[in-house]
C-alpha cells in the first residue's frame, strides 16, 4: 500500500499502537519491519510504566502452558524470536535453566504430570530429577527438597532493555513514539481512525490496542464495549543483594497451582537474587504498593528455599500488576470492519510472548490491510548492556565518571539515556532507572541521589529536587578541596 | 599493562582511612594510595555542616566540611596520593583489587589493604516500608548531600522517620534549607537519641509522634501523602511530599560479602582481631565498617591505631593471625568487636571489646572463658549506646579457645515512656 517513506509525514499513519508496554513495543517493531508507518501512543511520561514495569524477568519456554492455547503459541514463537534477534539488538541472556522443585509429597506427586505436559508442549529436554540430583545442581537449596523437574531452556533476561530494544528498532526504522499521550476519545469513519489526545488528534488507518491494565477501557472506547474485564493481579517482589548471587545459579520454580505459577526464587540478569511474585487481586489499576507482612513473608520464603539467603541484605522491594481477566488465555481479537486489533489480558508470560504476539498481530493485520513494502535492509540498533555478566560501560577505557556506585553506572550512560543516542530517551525517573540501573542498587540513592538530581535537573517529567538552593548553598558546595571560608 | 603495586591501599577517604594513611606515612611507609570512589574525598563529614568536629583530632572545632578539608590536607602534605573517582569493585586473595576508574577496569596489587568504607543508612526498601515507590523517599545522607553539596532542595514537607541522633541532624539540615517537616515519627515509645534531643523537634515546631508507624506512602511520581498508625490504633493521613528515612546504620560491607573474607553476622562488618586484621591477614579494616556507628573522632583514632598495626605487620612485628581466641556474642549482645584475639597484646589498636545490646536490657554482663566466668559487671544496656570492656581487665586463662560475652539473668527493660 504505502511506498518507501521520504521522511515527510502528512499526519496519517498506517497503524496507531495504543500502549507502550512490552507488547506495544514488540507490535510497533513487527509492524514497522513489515513496512507499516506506525505511531505508538503511551499515556505515561515513559514506556513500560504499567504492567511491564515489574515482572520476574524470565524467558519462558512455555513448558507449562496450556497445550494448544494462544498463549502457548505466542510464548513458543516469542522465545524462538528472542533467541534469534537478541545478539543483533544487544540483548543479554543469562542461561540459567530452571528447576520445578517439590517440597511436599503432594507436590512431588505432580512432577511427572509436569514432565508429560512439557513433552506434549514440545519441550523434549525437560526431565525428572531426584532430590539428590536437584541438590547436586543447586547445593545451597534446602535439604528438604523431595524432587524436581529440570527445564534447561528457561532463562533470565533484562525485562526493560528488551522492550526498549524492540521500540528502538521500530523508531530507527521510521516509527513514531508519543509519550504523555492518553487516548481520550476515538472515532472510525469507515476508512480511518481519529484518536483524540491532549496534544491533538492522531489519524491512523488501523489501530492495535495493547493497553495492558487499561485494555478493557481502551477497547470499550474503540468498540463501545469490552469483551473482557481487567482484574489487576498484584505481585510483590523482594530483591536480595548481589552477595546473594553466589547461592543460586538456577531459576527455582514451585509446583504451580491452578491460580498462580507461585513464588519463584531466581537470579537476575543484574547479578541479584529475586523472590516473588505474590498474586493479589485488586481493583486499583495504578497503585502497586508493597506491604511489610507480605515482603517479610517473601523474605522468609526465600530463606526456606535457599537457607543462606536468611543473612542476605535486601536491596529493593517492588510490586507489579498483571492485567489478568476472567479468562485464562490471552484475549486477542481482530475486527476487520473497524480495522482494529485488540490485544488484551496478556498476563505474566507477556515478556516472553511479546515477540510472538507481535507476529500474530501482524498476520491479523494483513488479513484486512494487505501487505506493505517492507524495508529491504532494516536498521538493527543495539541497546546498551546492563547485564552483570557481560561487559559494561564502566569497564571501557572511556568510562569517565561513575555516578551510581552500587550498580556502576557511568555519567555517559546517564547522558545517553536522557538524550540519546537511544531513540527513545527516558521520560521520567523510573525510565532513567530502567535504562541505566542508577539508584536501583543496595544504597537506593544514599550516595548518588544528589549527583543524579544535578544531572537530571530539568530533563525529566518530574525533578528529583523540588527547588535549587541558589547561592545559599553554603561553603560545602565548593567541596573539601577548596579553601575554607569559615570554621 | 603491568599491574600497579603499592605497599598499602586504603579503601575509602573518610576519617578512618585518611587517619590511617597519615599514620602510616608518618612512619615512613610507602607507597600508600587512598582509593575514593566519590569525586571528592573526606567522607561523610563533608555534608555534616552542623556537628562539631575535630576538637580531639586537631585541637580546634570545625564544621564537618572544614574537618574533611583538614583531613585531606594533612594526608596530602605527607605525600600520600588520594585517587578520587576510583572504586574498588572486588577484593581478591593476596591483596589484589579490581578497580573501576575513569579509564575503565583496572587492577591493583597491595601488600596490605585497609578497608575503611564506613557505614550507610538503611534505605526504605531494606526496611520493608510499605506503599508506593515514588521520588522523594530519601535517607539523611542523600538529603544532606543534595542540600549541602548540590544546593538542591529534595522536598518541602517531608515526614521524618526515626529518632537516632542523625534524625536530629536531618532536622537541622531541613531547617537550614527552608524545609518544614510535617512530623517526626518513631515506632518506639521514646526517642532513640537521649535527652535532650527530643526537645529539638518541639523547639522547631515539628510534632514528634512516638509509638507511631508508617503504614502507607502514597504518590505516583512524588510522595503525596503518608499514613501513620499510632499505638492506640488511630490512623492519620497527612499531606507530605517526601519521607526522610534516618539512621539504621549498617556497615558498607558489600565488598566483603562478595569476597573471600569472613563477615560477622552480628556487626554485619568484617570479622577482625584486635589489630583490625581480617580473616585474610593481608586485609585490615578500621572505622565504622567495624561497628555501626561511632563518631568521626572515634573512627579517626581507630584508623590511626590500625594504620600503626599495619606498619608493624609489614615490619614483621605483629603476632601471627593463626590460632587465637574466638569472641562470641551471648544473650542480648548484638555484636562484639573485635571477634578474635591473636596473642595477648592488650595494647593493640582495638584495646577494648566494644559491644552493643540488641534490646534494652539490665542484668549482669559476663565474660566467660570456655564456659567459666572470668569477669562481670552489672549493667543497663540500650541498643544505641556502646559499652566497652578493656582487654587488660580480662584475666584470660592460658589456652582459652573462646570468650563469650553476654548478659546473664537479664530482665527486659520497659521502653522509656
Amino acid at each position: 500500500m504505502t511506498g518507501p517513506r521520504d521522511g515527510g509525514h502528512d499526519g496519517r499513519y498506517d497503524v496507531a499502537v495504543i500502549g507502550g508496554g512490552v507488547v506495544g513495543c514488540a507490535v510497533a517493531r513487527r509492524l514497522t519491519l513489515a513496512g507499516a508507518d506506525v505511531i505508538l501512543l503511551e499515556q505515561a511520561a515513559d514506556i513500560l510504566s504499567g504492567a511491564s514495569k515489574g515482572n520476574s524477568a524470565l524467558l519462558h519456554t512455555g513448558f507449562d502452558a496450556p497445550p494448544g492455547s494462544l498463549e502457548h503459541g505466542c510464548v513458543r514463537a516469542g522465545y524462538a524470536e528472542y533467541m534469534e534477534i537478541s545478539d543483533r539488538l544487544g540483548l543479554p541472556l543469562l542461561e540459567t535453566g530452571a528447576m520445578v522443585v517439590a517440597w511436599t509429597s503432594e507436590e512431588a506427586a505432580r512432577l511427572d504430570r509436569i514432565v508429560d505436559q512439557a513433552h506434549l508442549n514440545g519441550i523434549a529436554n525437560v526431565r525428572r530429577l531426584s532430590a539428590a540430583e536437584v541438590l547436586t545442581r543447586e547445593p545451597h537449596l534446602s535439604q528438604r527438597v523431595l524432587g524436581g523437574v529440570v527445564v534447561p531452556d528457561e532463562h533470565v533476561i533484562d525485562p526493560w532493555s528488551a522492550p526498549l530494544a524492540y521500540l528502538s528498532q521500530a523508531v530507527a526504522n521510521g516509527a513514531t513514539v508519543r509519550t504523555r499521550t492518553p487516548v481520550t476519545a476515538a472515532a472510525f469513519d469507515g476508512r480511518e481512525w481519529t484518536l483524540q489526545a491532549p496534544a491533538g488528534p492522531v489519524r491512523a488507518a488501523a489501530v492495535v490496542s495493547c493497553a495492558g491494565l487499561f485494555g478493557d477501557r481502551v477497547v470499550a472506547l474503540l468498540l463501545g464495549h469490552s469483551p473482557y474485564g481487567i482484574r489487576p493481579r498484584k505481585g510483590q517482589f523482594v530483591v536480595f543483594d548481589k552477595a546473594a548471587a553466589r547461592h543460586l545459579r538456577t531459576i527455582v520454580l514451585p509446583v504451580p497451582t491452578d491460580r498462580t505459577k507461585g513464588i519463584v526464587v531466581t537470579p537476575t540478569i543484574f547479578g541479584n537474587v529475586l523472590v516473588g511474585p505474590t498474586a493479589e487481586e485488586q481493583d486499583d489499576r495504578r497503585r502497586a504498593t508493597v506491604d511489610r507482612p507480605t515482603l517479610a513473608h517473601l523474605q522468609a520464603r526465600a530463606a526456606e528455599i535457599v537457607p543462606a539467603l536468611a543473612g542476605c541484605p535486601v536491596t529493593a522491594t517492588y510490586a507489579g500488576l498483571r492485567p489478568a481477566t476472567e479468562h485464562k488465555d490471552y484475549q486477542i481479537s481482530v475486527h476487520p470492519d473497524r480495522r482494529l486489533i485488540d490485544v488484551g489480558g496478556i498476563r505474566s508470560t507477556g515478556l516472553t510472548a511479546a515477540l510472538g504476539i507481535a507476529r500474530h498481530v501482524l498476520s491479523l493485520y494483513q488479513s484486512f490491510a494487505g501487505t506493505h513494502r517492507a524495508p529491504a535492509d532494516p536498521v538493527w540498533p543495539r541497546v546498551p548492556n546492563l547485564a552483570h555478566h557481560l561487559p559494561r560501560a564502566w569497564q571501557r577505557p572511556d568510562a569517565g565518571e561513575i555516578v551510581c556506585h552500587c550498580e556502576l553506572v557511568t555519567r555517559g550512560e546517564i547522558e545517553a539515556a536522557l538524550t540519546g543516542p537511544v531513540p527513545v530517551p527516558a521520560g521520567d525517573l523510573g525510565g532513567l532507572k530502567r535504562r541505566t540501573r542508577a539508584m536501583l542498587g543496595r544504597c537506593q540513592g544514599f550516595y548518588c541521589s544528589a549527583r543524579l538530581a544535578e544531572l537530571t535537573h530539568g530533563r525529566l517529567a518530574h525533578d528529583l529536587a523540588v527547588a535549587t538552593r541558589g547561592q545559599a548553598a553554603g561553603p560545602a558546595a565548593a567541596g573539601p578541596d577548596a579553601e575554607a571560608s569559615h570554621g | 599493562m603491568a599491574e600497579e603495586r603499592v605497599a598499602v591501599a586504603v579503601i575509602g577517604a573518610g576519617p578512618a582511612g585518611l587517619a590511617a594513611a597519615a599514620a602510616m606515612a608518618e612512619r615512613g611507609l610507602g607507597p600508600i594510595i587512598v582509593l575514593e570512589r566519590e569525586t571528592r574525598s573526606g567522607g561523610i563529614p563533608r555534608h555534616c555542616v552542623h556537628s562539631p568536629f575535630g576538637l580531639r583530632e586537631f585541637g580546634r572545632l570545625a564544621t564537618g566540611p572544614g574537618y574533611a578539608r583538614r583531613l585531606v590536607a594533612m594526608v596530602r602534605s605527607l605525600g600520600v596520593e588520594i585517587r578520587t573517582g576510583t572504586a574498588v569493585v572486588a577484593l581478591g586473595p593476596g591483596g589484589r583489587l579490581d578497580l573501576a576508574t575513569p579509564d575503565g577496569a583496572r587492577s591493583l596489587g597491595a601488600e596490605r589493604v585497609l578497608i575503611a568504607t564506613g557505614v550507610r543508612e538503611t534505605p526504605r526498601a531494606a526496611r520493608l516500608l510499605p506503599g508506593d515507590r515514588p521520588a522523594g523517599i530519601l535517607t539523611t545522607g542523600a538529603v544532606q548531600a543534595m542540600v549541602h553539596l548540590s544546593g538542591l532542595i529534595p522536598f518541602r514537607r517531608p515526614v521524618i522517620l526515626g529518632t537516632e541522633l542523625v534524625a536530629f541532624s536531618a532536622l537541622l539540615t531541613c531547617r537550614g534549607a527552608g524545609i518544614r517537616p510535617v512530623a517526626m515519627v518513631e515506632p518506639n515509645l521514646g526517642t532513640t537519641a537521649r535527652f535532650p534531643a527530643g526537645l529539638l523537634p518541639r523547639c522547631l515546631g515539628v510534632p514528634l509522634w512516638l509509638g507511631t508507624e508508617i503504614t502507607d506512602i502514597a504518590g505516583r511520581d512524588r510522595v503525596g501523602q503518608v499514613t501513620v498508625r499510632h499505638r492506640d490504633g488511630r490512623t492519620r493521613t497527612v499531606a507530605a511530599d517526601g519521607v526522610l528515612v534516618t539512621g539504621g546504620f549498617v556497615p558498607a560491607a558489600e565488598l566483603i560479602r562478595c569476597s573471600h573474607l569472613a563477615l560477622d553476622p552480628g556487626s554485619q562488618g568484617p570479622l577482625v582481631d584486635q589489630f583490625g586484621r581480617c580473616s585474610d591477614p593481608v586485609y585490615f579494616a578500621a572505622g565504622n565498617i567495624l561497628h555501626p556507628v561511632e563518631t568521626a573522632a572515634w573512627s579517626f583514632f581507630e584508623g590511626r591505631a590500625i594504620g600503626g598495626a599495619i606498619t608493624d605487620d609489614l615490619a614483621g612485628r605483629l603476632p601471627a593471625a593463626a590460632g587465637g581466641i574466638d569472641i562470641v556474642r551471648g544473650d542480648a549482645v548484638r555484636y562484639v568487636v573485635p571477634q578474635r584475639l591473636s596473642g595477648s597484646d592488650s595494647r593493640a589498636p582495638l584495646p577494648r571489646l566494644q559491644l552493643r545490646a540488641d534490646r534494652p536490657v539490665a542484668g549482669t554482663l559476663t565474660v566467660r572463658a570456655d564456659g567459666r566466668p572470668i569477669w562481670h559487671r552489672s549493667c543497663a544496656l540500650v541498643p544505641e549506646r556502646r559499652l566497652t570492656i578493656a582487654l587488660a581487665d580480662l584475666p584470660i586463662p592460658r589456652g582459652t579457645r573462646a570468650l563469650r560475652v553476654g548478659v546473664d539473668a537479664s530482665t527486659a527493660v520497659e521502653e522509656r515512656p
Side-chain angles (χ1 to χ4, degrees):
Chain A
M1 284 164 45
T2 51
R5 290 184 297 276
D6 56 5
H9 207 282
D10 64 357
R12 285 182 165 77
Y13 297 87
D14 293 330
V15 187
V17 175
I18 303 176
V22 62
V23 175
C25 292
V27 166
R29 168 181 174 272
R30 177 47 60 201
L31 292 173
T32 301
L33 292 180
D37 184 12
V38 175
I39 183 167
L40 181 140
L41 309 174
E42 166 56 46
Q43 62 171 348
D46 200 357
I47 60 166
L48 313 182
S49 293
S52 301
K53 185 162 63 174
N55 56 56
S56 42
L58 303 182
L59 188 68
H60 293 293
T61 56
F63 76 96
D64 56 351
S69 64
L70 180 58
E71 179 178 11
H72 179 230
C74 291
V75 166
R76 291 301 303 274
Y79 183 98
E81 187 170 351
Y82 186 90
M83 298 303 262
E84 189 187 311
I85 68 173
S86 55
D87 272 354
R88 295 184 79 183
L89 292 176
L91 290 174
L93 183 71
L94 188 63
E95 296 184 56
T96 57
M99 287 194 289
V100 182
V101 174
W103 303 101
T104 65
S105 50
E106 295 78 43
E107 288 173 356
R110 282 162 38 212
L111 291 175
D112 284 333
R113 222 180 311 155
I114 292 172
V115 175
D116 292 344
Q117 187 175 355
H119 291 170
L120 260 177
N121 281 343
I123 318 292
N125 61 358
V126 171
R127 65 176 183 84
R128 276 280 268 131
L129 297 177
S130 67
E133 287 173 313
V134 170
L135 289 170
T136 304
R137 285 165 179 267
E138 276 302 338
H140 293 282
L141 230 52
S142 164
Q143 304 291 314
R144 294 185 302 101
V145 59
L146 297 180
V149 168
V150 63
V151 191
D153 297 336
E154 296 265 307
H155 296 317
V156 170
I157 61 173
D158 178 339
W160 302 311
S161 291
L164 181 65
Y166 306 157
L167 190 58
S168 293
Q169 191 179 22
V171 171
N173 289 285
T176 304
V177 177
R178 273 194 209 153
T179 53
R180 299 183 227 195
T181 306
V183 175
T184 52
F188 181 64
D189 67 4
R191 280 180 44 243
E192 188 178 70
W193 282 96
T194 303
L195 305 177
Q196 297 298 335
V202 173
R203 284 192 284 278
V207 168
V208 182
S209 174
C210 308
L213 292 161
F214 296 87
D216 53 350
R217 294 197 185 160
V218 170
V219 75
L221 205 66
L222 299 165
L223 274 184
H225 69 280
S226 173
Y228 55 86
I230 294 291
R231 296 171 177 179
R233 190 174 296 160
K234 181 168 79 177
Q236 301 188 45
F237 294 86
V238 170
V239 182
F240 289 95
D241 191 79
K242 291 184 200 298
R246 59 168 78 175
H247 305 306
L248 193 70
R249 291 175 310 223
T250 314
I251 304 162
V252 177
L253 306 168
V255 175
T257 65
D258 286 344
R259 198 166 138 270
T260 166
K261 285 172 175 280
I263 293 172
V264 180
V265 185
T266 174
T268 75
I269 201 109
F270 311 115
N272 300 83
V273 169
L274 175 72
V275 57
T278 53
E280 307 162 55
E281 282 175 26
Q282 64 175 44
D283 294 327
D284 198 315
R285 295 165 189 244
R286 292 188 186 274
R287 287 197 79 191
T289 59
V290 291
D291 70 86
R292 191 193 302 269
T294 305
L295 297 173
H297 167 73
L298 285 172
Q299 209 179 354
R301 183 78 193 113
E304 279 171 24
I305 295 168
V306 183
L309 292 177
C312 277
V314 169
T315 285
T317 61
Y318 67 95
L321 298 176
R322 289 99 98 180
T325 68
E326 63 272 43
H327 308 286
K328 284 205 87 163
D329 205 351
Y330 294 169
Q331 299 298 302
I332 301 180
S333 59
V334 58
H335 308 270
D337 53 320
R338 298 184 65 85
R339 304 180 67 85
L340 169 69
I341 298 164
D342 179 47
V343 184
I346 310 301
R347 328 175 291 163
S348 52
T349 48
L351 177 63
T352 304
L355 293 168
I357 292 169
R359 286 175 174 267
H360 182 59
V361 165
L362 176 64
S363 70
L364 296 175
Y365 172 75
Q366 288 173 335
S367 73
F368 64 79
T371 53
H372 302 274
R373 188 187 305 167
D377 193 11
V379 183
W380 287 80
R382 292 175 66 83
V383 285
N385 172 55
L386 301 177
H388 187 69
H389 65 294
L390 297 171
R392 300 254 328 259
W394 68 267
Q395 291 161 299
R396 291 199 302 254
D398 62 346
E401 179 192 355
I402 291 172
V403 174
C404 168
H405 296 294
C406 300
E407 296 293 316
L408 293 165
V409 183
T410 66
R411 181 176 177 179
E413 287 177 292
I414 288 171
E415 293 292 342
L418 288 170
T419 55
V422 282
V424 190
D428 56 20
L429 181 62
L432 182 67
K433 291 178 180 180
R434 292 189 289 271
R435 281 171 184 75
T436 64
R437 307 265 326 133
M439 295 178 94
L440 287 176
R442 54 180 70 99
C443 90
Q444 298 275 300
F446 180 90
Y447 294 111
C448 67
S449 287
R451 186 71 179 121
L452 266 174
E454 285 174 8
L455 293 176
T456 58
H457 182 51
R459 300 166 79 180
L460 295 173
H462 301 270
D463 248 336
L464 264 76
V466 296
T468 55
R469 255 190 125 186
Q471 291 311 104
D481 299 344
E483 276 299 303
S485 55
H486 80 304
Chain B
M1 188 185 307
E3 181 182 272
E4 185 178 1
R5 284 206 63 86
V6 294
V8 182
V10 176
I11 309 175
L18 292 176
M24 292 185 284
E26 283 165 12
R27 292 178 55 179
L29 212 57
I32 300 166
I33 186 165
V34 181
L35 305 167
E36 169 55 53
R37 63 188 197 175
E38 305 237 3
T39 51
R40 295 175 190 137
S41 37
I44 295 286
R46 288 176 308 136
H47 48 72
C48 295
V49 298
H50 315 290
S51 320
F53 285 89
L55 192 58
R56 287 174 60 212
E57 298 93 314
F58 299 117
R60 58 181 287 194
L61 269 179
T63 63
Y67 174 76
R69 281 190 290 271
R70 234 191 141 91
L71 281 175
V72 171
M74 169 185 78
V75 169
R76 290 226 170 103
S77 72
L78 291 163
V80 172
E81 181 190 357
I82 304 175
R83 205 174 286 175
T84 56
T86 302
V88 177
V89 296
L91 310 175
R96 186 179 184 278
L97 306 178
D98 291 342
L99 309 180
T101 80
D103 304 317
R106 291 279 184 278
S107 66
L108 174 75
E111 287 175 60
R112 295 292 180 272
V113 178
L114 177 68
I115 306 166
T117 48
V119 279
R120 57 183 167 73
E121 292 166 285
T122 303
R124 178 259 169 91
R127 292 166 187 254
L128 309 184
L129 279 188
D132 291 322
R133 294 161 310 286
I137 307 174
L138 296 160
T139 55
T140 315
V143 170
Q144 292 185 334
M146 277 177 93
V147 170
H148 298 308
L149 301 182
S150 305
L152 294 168
I153 308 295
F155 34 51
R156 292 286 183 204
R157 297 281 284 156
V159 168
I160 298 181
L161 174 62
T163 55
E164 290 179 45
L165 210 47
V166 66
F168 299 93
S169 169
L171 257 184
L172 292 172
T173 296
C174 287
R175 195 179 76 131
I179 298 166
R180 290 166 45 239
V182 180
M184 200 165 185
V185 171
E186 165 61 49
N188 292 320
L189 287 176
T191 59
T192 306
R194 282 176 299 161
F195 186 84
L199 295 179
L200 183 63
R202 209 168 303 165
C203 295
L204 298 178
V206 176
L208 174 62
W209 294 341
L210 299 172
T212 301
E213 277 185 286
I214 291 180
T215 54
D216 192 25
I217 300 169
R220 191 156 168 75
D221 299 301
R222 164 164 293 281
V223 176
Q225 58 186 39
V226 174
T227 303
V228 298
R229 185 175 54 228
H230 302 295
R231 192 152 290 197
D232 61 11
R234 282 181 306 127
T235 63
R236 164 155 40 181
T237 299
V238 292
D241 65 352
V243 178
L244 206 172
V245 178
T246 68
F249 286 97
V250 289
E254 290 75 29
L255 280 174
I256 293 160
R257 285 181 185 277
C258 294
S259 77
H260 62 299
L261 300 176
L263 187 96
D264 173 23
S267 70
Q268 306 270 306
L271 192 149
V272 293
D273 67 9
Q274 74 270 43
F275 303 99
R277 187 164 47 180
C278 299
S279 58
D280 173 349
V282 165
Y283 286 88
F284 287 71
N288 276 333
I289 188 160
L290 295 179
H291 39 61
V293 52
E294 303 290 353
T295 61
W298 183 288
S299 295
F300 176 95
F301 287 109
E302 191 173 273
R304 274 199 77 82
I306 291 177
I310 293 173
T311 315
D312 288 344
D313 189 30
L314 285 172
R317 290 198 297 265
L318 228 53
I325 301 170
D326 289 327
I327 302 169
V328 186
R329 60 204 159 99
D331 192 35
V333 173
R334 178 159 65 98
Y335 68 75
V336 188
V337 177
Q339 296 87 349
R340 206 159 42 91
L341 296 178
S342 307
S344 58
D345 189 346
S346 58
R347 291 167 304 130
L350 301 174
R352 293 173 288 262
L353 299 182
Q354 287 178 59
L355 56 105
R356 292 217 183 202
D358 61 10
R359 57 184 186 267
V361 69
T364 308
L365 181 65
T366 307
V367 180
R368 288 186 168 77
D370 294 333
R372 275 202 15 247
I374 58 165
W375 181 96
H376 64 89
R377 182 205 294 172
S378 66
C379 66
L381 296 175
V382 286
E384 55 275 15
R385 277 196 69 190
R386 118 179 53 91
L387 190 136
T388 62
I389 304 170
L391 285 171
D393 292 347
L394 296 179
I396 303 171
R398 199 172 279 279
T400 297
R401 285 203 301 269
L403 294 180
R404 177 176 291 272
V405 186
V407 180
D408 281 354
S410 61
T411 43
V413 175
E414 285 293 304
E415 283 184 84
R416 285 160 295 159

